[in-house]
């Protein structure tokens, strides 16, 4: 039941987000060609927060174009709609790039940690050998009656 509720809530959020996209795109297309793309970017941040992928946004954009019947409009509107779409997916793409950079850094740190672990193990083996050698010398000195401090 909980899973069903989660799926329903997600679908509702996605529907509302899609409706906001249509409204924002429609408003953008009514404005001048130099209108701000800030609404698209803000919408993209919301989409990224919902973990939408670029393909999800492409589907929403395609549906929005069909809803607005922009395909039958002038080429300028279609081009501007494409620019709006590109701006909307920017936050999602930035999230992916950030994740890739974090993975690269994590991999580098993991390699460094692996090398340091090997170095530490080698140092530990060397110390163990030194301890064994010292104990051997101490035992030999005790047998000979020359314990340290009796000189």
């Amino acid at each position: 039941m909980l899973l069903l509720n989660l799926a329903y809530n997600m679908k509702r959020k996605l529907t509302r987000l899609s409706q906001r996209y249509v409204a924002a795109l429609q408003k953008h297309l009514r404005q001048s060609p130099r209108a701000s793309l800030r609404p698209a970017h803000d919408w993209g941040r919301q989409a990224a927060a919902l973990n939408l992928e670029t393909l999800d946004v492409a589907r929403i954009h395609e549906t929005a174009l069909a809803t607005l019947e922009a395909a039958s409009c002038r080429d300028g509107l279609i081009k501007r709609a494409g620019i709006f779409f590109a701006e909307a997916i920017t936050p999602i793409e930035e999230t992916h790039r950030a994740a890739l950079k974090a993975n690269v850094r994590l991999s580098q740190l993991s390699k460094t940690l692996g090398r340091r672990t090997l170095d530490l193990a080698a140092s530990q083996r060397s110390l163990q050998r030194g301890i064994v050698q010292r104990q051997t010398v101490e035992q030999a000195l005790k047998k000979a009656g020359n314990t340290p401090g009796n000189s």
Side-chain angles (χ1 to χ4, degrees):
M1 186 67 179
L2 179 63
L3 192 57
L4 192 59
N5 263 347
L6 289 173
Y8 174 75
N9 286 336
M10 182 62 177
K11 184 174 175 89
R12 216 176 60 208
K13 286 179 183 179
L14 188 57
T15 300
R16 280 193 305 232
L17 190 65
S18 296
Q19 290 167 345
R20 284 196 303 269
Y21 185 86
V22 170
L25 177 59
Q26 190 172 35
K27 183 177 179 181
H28 178 77
L29 294 176
R30 282 193 308 255
Q31 297 173 351
S32 77
R34 288 188 235 145
S36 170
L37 291 169
R38 178 82 180 170
H41 192 81
D42 292 344
W43 184 93
R45 283 202 328 257
Q46 293 172 14
L50 287 175
N51 295 317
L52 293 185
E53 296 291 333
T54 304
L55 188 57
D56 299 320
V57 177
R59 285 185 191 116
I60 291 170
H61 180 74
E62 182 180 32
T63 302
L65 285 178
T67 301
L68 299 174
E69 298 177 7
S72 64
C73 296
R74 299 184 319 265
D75 287 340
L77 287 181
I78 293 170
K79 182 177 179 182
R80 288 177 49 216
I83 292 168
F84 188 90
F85 169 75
E87 188 64 29
I89 65 170
T90 298
I92 295 168
E93 296 302 314
E94 287 171 351
T95 301
H96 288 270
R97 276 194 294 277
L100 288 174
K101 284 181 183 178
N103 283 340
V104 167
R105 181 70 179 134
L106 183 60
S107 179
Q108 290 169 341
L109 289 172
S110 181
K111 287 177 184 177
T112 300
L113 181 61
R115 284 193 303 272
R116 289 185 178 170
T117 300
L118 291 174
D119 291 345
L120 182 59
S123 293
Q124 187 177 13
R125 286 190 301 274
S126 177
L127 286 171
Q128 289 294 334
R129 284 192 300 272
I131 290 170
V132 169
Q133 287 174 351
R134 183 184 53 82
Q135 288 173 340
T136 303
V137 169
E138 282 180 0
Q139 287 176 357
L141 286 172
K142 281 182 185 177
K143 282 184 181 179
N146 294 327
T147 57
N150 284 347
S151 312

